[in-house]
Amino acid sequence: MKRIILTGFMGTGKSSVGRLLAEKLNYAFVDTDTVIEEKQGLSIPQIFSQYGEAYFRQVEKNILKQVCKRKSIVISTGGGVPLAQENRRTMQQEDSVVVCLRASIVTIMDRIKDRGNRPLLKQDAAKMQALLDKRTPFYNEADFIIDTDKYSPMQLVDEITTFMRRYKN
Ligand code: S3P
């Protein structure tokens, strides 16, 4: 498997799990949001407020295409990536596996409560639940979906590597 792509809602642990997974596999690690921030020279909230969400989504598409060409890599994606069909096609390649991390809204709100770096998150739990419900069919297109509520990042890494041993063999 050349690349492992982590998808899922904000606060599901994609970056922390991704980093550990990359370490374990001796793969490179990238976070699409970090690449976007570096290339634009702006934080995600600045991109949203100065240029709007549609602009951000276009940049996100381009960055995803670039990073999905790399090999031996774990890619953590922004929570909105699977919504665009073009992005789902970019991710679903023969030599990639898409792993979606899932969490309950209670867990999500708890994990992200002190961080102001997510423009779409200045909302209450009911609105977040509605957004999550709307996105769930797209997240469900992943090759492997894993519940993160009760697991530590290290346990999730073990789950993912176990799945990969059985997958596409
Ligand atoms: C977004 C999730 C964020 C970031 C942006 C939009 C979303 O990434 O890409 O704020 O639409 O869910 P994380 O999932 O890493 O928080």
Side-chain angles (χ1 to χ4, degrees), residues 1-2 29 32 34 55 66 85 89 91-92 96 104-105 124 133 141 143 149 158:
M1 196 59 58
K2 289 185 181 153
F29 171 75
T32 54
T34 308
Y55 174 83
Q66 285 171 26
Q85 191 187 35
R89 279 210 210 99
M91 294 190 288
Q92 290 159 351
S96 300
S104 69
I105 277 297
D124 61 26
D133 290 346
E141 289 193 28
D143 299 306
D149 285 319
D158 288 341

Side-chain angles (χ1 to χ4, degrees), residues 49-95:
S49 66
Q50 291 181 27
Y51 300 105
E53 183 174 350
Y55 174 83
F56 171 78
R57 297 297 174 200
Q58 192 51 53
V59 176
E60 188 175 53
K61 270 186 194 140
N62 297 337
I63 296 295
L64 185 73
K65 281 201 189 106
Q66 285 171 26
V67 296
C68 283
K69 287 186 187 138
R70 293 180 57 184
K71 295 173 183 157
S72 306
I73 191 164
V74 176
I75 302 165
S76 166
T77 60
V81 161
L83 308 188
Q85 191 187 35
E86 191 178 336
N87 290 342
R88 297 198 296 279
R89 279 210 210 99
T90 303
M91 294 190 288
Q92 290 159 351
Q93 300 178 58
E94 186 57 33
D95 50 8

